Amino acid sequence: AAVPQAARDYQAFSRLRRPYQILMRVALLEYARTGNLAYFGYSGHLLLKKIQHFVRVRLLAPVDLRIRTTMSRLDIGKEEAEGYIRGVDEERTRWARFMYGRDIRDPGLYDICINMEEAELVTGRETYTYEVGASAHAGTVLLEGPYLEPEEKERVMAVADGVPGVKKVEYRPGYAPTMEFLPS
């Protein structure tokens, strides 16, 4: 029986996978040798073994922001933007699985994952100047920071309360050394 064209194309491309990986790894390592490498992409970090001075970061943008940005950039409606984003995400996931045998959505592949919805305190127009730290566990968020005026405290509490999954928000005045998000 004849082999379908799609199967032949897949087999041909599969033979190119290893040389591609080797050449891309060499190119990334050449840049890394200079000590000035910042790679922005979706799967290049899978090419390099764990190297002590490399930090692998995954940024998770809020869905609403991705939709608005896609609508604006492509001049399309909301439903079309949602479909486009879904398709792009699926394609990137399939590509990484085919090329590297890994799921790029796996948090274990990164040194840190930052959910930008949870970063609202430091990016929000009304709260970015406050030195407020946050820790979260099982839906409870503890905010720590300097003494705030009642309206400032209310603003900070409202921002934290607006993050999906937050069930309770507490504020403790004091020094705010860090932002820490623990697994639920």
Side-chain angles (χ1 to χ4, degrees):
V3 177
Q5 181 63 39
R8 286 195 306 269
D9 291 345
Y10 179 83
Q11 290 169 352
F13 190 72
S14 291
R15 284 190 294 274
L16 298 174
R17 184 177 15 199
R18 179 111 172 102
Y20 167 85
Q21 290 174 345
I22 292 168
L23 292 171
M24 290 300 295
R25 181 176 292 127
V26 167
L28 282 172
L29 288 171
E30 282 296 317
Y31 279 107
R33 281 180 4 144
T34 69
N36 294 318
L37 174 67
Y39 170 82
F40 299 91
Y42 299 95
S43 59
H45 65 288
L46 299 173
L47 289 166
L48 303 176
K49 301 273 186 218
K50 292 272 186 181
I51 299 174
Q52 186 175 359
H53 60 280
F54 283 5
V55 178
R56 293 160 181 84
V57 179
R58 180 169 188 212
L59 296 176
L60 301 161
V63 175
D64 290 344
L65 174 63
R66 292 181 72 197
I67 291 170
R68 286 193 313 271
T69 302
T70 301
M71 289 171 61
S72 174
R73 186 181 313 135
L74 301 180
D75 193 27
I76 58 177
K78 183 177 180 181
E79 286 183 24
E80 195 175 353
E82 289 171 345
Y84 176 83
I85 290 167
R86 224 178 359 267
V88 167
D89 288 350
E90 289 171 9
E91 181 61 30
R92 288 175 181 155
T93 301
R94 277 195 308 270
W95 171 256
R97 188 171 290 129
F98 171 74
M99 288 302 293
Y100 311 107
R102 306 301 293 267
D103 185 342
I104 58 173
R105 299 168 298 183
D106 177 4
L109 297 176
Y110 305 90
D111 298 308
I112 185 169
C113 295
I114 299 173
N115 183 332
M116 298 306 289
E117 284 182 310
E118 294 174 349
E120 184 64 30
L121 285 173
V122 294
T123 61
R125 186 174 36 157
E126 295 183 357
T127 57
Y128 78 93
T129 60
Y130 304 147
E131 293 184 29
V132 176
S135 58
H137 181 69
T140 298
V141 174
L142 173 62
L143 302 173
E144 295 181 280
Y147 173 79
L148 297 174
E149 295 297 327
E151 64 275 358
E152 294 172 328
K153 179 180 171 187
E154 191 174 307
R155 241 182 262 135
V156 168
M157 300 277 289
V159 167
D161 194 44
V163 174
V166 171
K167 299 173 188 162
K168 181 179 177 185
V169 180
E170 299 172 0
Y171 187 84
R172 181 176 15 186
Y175 176 66
T178 186
M179 262 200 168
E180 180 181 355
F181 295 93
L182 304 172
S184 301

